[in-house]
Amino acid sequence: MGRSNRAARGSEPAATTGPGGRSHAQGPLSRPVGSGLAELRPDRDRPAAWTLLIDGAPQSLVDLADPTHLGFEYQRRLGHLIDLVAPPGRPLTVLHLGGGALTLARYVAATRPRSRQQVAEIDTELTELVRTELPLERGWQIKVRGADARGVLERTPEASVDLVITDVFSGARTPAHCTTVEFTTLAARALAPGGWYTANIADGGALPFARSQVATLGAVFPELCLIADPAVLRGKRFGNLVLAAAHGPLPTADLTRRAASDAAHARVEHGRALTDFAAGATPATDATAAPSPEPPPGVFR
């Protein structure tokens, strides 16, 4: 689930469609899938770009002519982490928990050729729609598994991936079983030395869910940071927050510079500030976890 930021968009690419992809001349598309009503809406600013919505909630934006374009704020913040987890251009092994329109998998494939990626997307009808209308480029090593994210994580070999990206939403909410200490421990087990865990979540108001998630990741990883819009951090609006965790230091100075220079300015919290943010919050466990909060009415309009 995400929010787009048109101010961040640059000049239009020359191509108007991807290879075999849906063209704007065909117009929008609506189709029932396993998770609800999927809609593909043509982007009014970019001639080969499409927004995927599920039951009205924006999920992904894909530009078939430019897979490096990340139109949603939270996706750009995850993109910063993808850029910094290893030297530029070095191939990665990435596990995506939650697939949507495969925007971030496309970004990794385009910016880090020869990367090996696995995607867990439980909605196989959605994956079929995306593959048909917004096809992947040949040669990209992206394997999509039609299975529950946690189930795929449980079967992932130990120390086998450089980056775990969790972007799991059922409609507009993260399922409880993907928010716990037990889930995070599985992710930590899957990481190779030097690997990072990242997650996109959504919250608002006093941010009780986000605070609990910081406490949850802190129960497993010694190094954490959080990236979010200052208005979200102040409780002024409902929105996305991106978490990153690792067993070694995170490049918070580089992240701070990138987040501050983005058209949708974001703040990076870490160290004492993040400890204070989560003060009093209890880590979520399989016995106590609840889904992320329901977005307020009209938040996507």
Side-chain angles (χ1 to χ4, degrees):
M1 184 196 70
R3 168 182 173 136
S4 66
N5 178 40
R6 298 188 181 278
R9 299 180 179 186
S11 59
E12 293 180 352
T16 58
T17 63
R22 188 175 185 83
S23 72
H24 281 197
Q26 294 173 275
L29 173 69
S30 297
R31 183 174 300 169
V33 295
S35 51
L37 180 66
E39 298 176 72
L40 290 176
R41 294 183 184 172
D43 187 276
R44 65 174 180 262
D45 294 333
R46 300 179 71 89
W50 296 85
T51 299
L52 168 69
L53 302 93
I54 303 292
D55 288 339
Q59 300 289 330
S60 306
L61 188 144
V62 168
D63 190 331
L64 291 172
D66 181 10
T68 68
H69 175 72
L70 300 176
F72 283 7
E73 297 166 11
Y74 87 87
Q75 289 179 333
R76 289 200 302 281
R77 291 160 193 163
L78 287 168
H80 298 328
L81 292 164
I82 292 167
D83 292 343
L84 292 170
V85 70
R90 198 192 85 182
L92 297 175
T93 302
V94 184
L95 175 61
H96 301 262
L97 302 176
L102 308 174
T103 303
L104 290 169
R106 297 167 198 265
Y107 181 82
V108 172
T111 60
R112 295 181 177 275
R114 303 187 310 283
S115 291
R116 298 175 60 195
Q117 302 186 75
Q118 183 175 190
V119 181
E121 174 52 67
I122 196 169
D123 191 337
T124 56
E125 292 174 300
L126 174 60
T127 298
E128 181 181 356
L129 173 66
V130 168
R131 284 189 177 277
T132 300
E133 303 294 341
L134 309 176
L136 302 173
E137 290 189 15
R138 292 181 180 178
W140 285 351
Q141 298 181 61
I142 301 172
K143 184 173 185 178
V144 183
R145 292 188 177 276
D148 176 75
R150 182 155 172 173
V152 171
L153 188 57
E154 288 170 346
R155 295 190 295 274
T156 300
E158 184 174 355
S160 62
V161 299
D162 300 307
L163 183 63
V164 175
I165 301 175
T166 299
D167 189 16
V168 182
F169 283 86
S170 177
R173 306 179 74 182
T174 302
H177 71 293
C178 294
T179 68
T180 67
V181 170
E182 292 87 347
F183 177 90
T184 307
T185 300
L186 289 170
R189 175 183 172 275
L191 291 175
W196 296 355
Y197 174 76
T198 65
N200 173 46
I201 61 172
D203 201 2
L207 304 174
F209 179 75
R211 296 177 196 277
S212 175
Q213 286 301 285
V214 171
T216 300
L217 268 61
V220 178
F221 291 101
E223 299 290 333
L224 305 174
C225 72
L226 179 152
I227 314 168
D229 186 317
V232 174
L233 290 173
R234 291 195 300 267
K236 299 296 185 182
R237 72 172 180 86
F238 190 94
N240 296 86
L241 305 95
V242 169
L243 296 165
H247 287 294
L250 292 163
T252 52
D254 286 338
L255 278 172
T256 299
R257 283 191 290 271
R258 288 172 180 246
S261 63
D262 193 284
H265 172 71
R267 209 164 77 209
V268 177
E269 299 284 11
H270 60 95
R272 179 59 183 271
L274 191 57
T275 300
D276 291 345
F277 173 83
T282 302
T285 68
D286 284 349
T288 64
S292 64
E294 190 78 47
V299 71
F300 301 122
R301 295 188 186 132

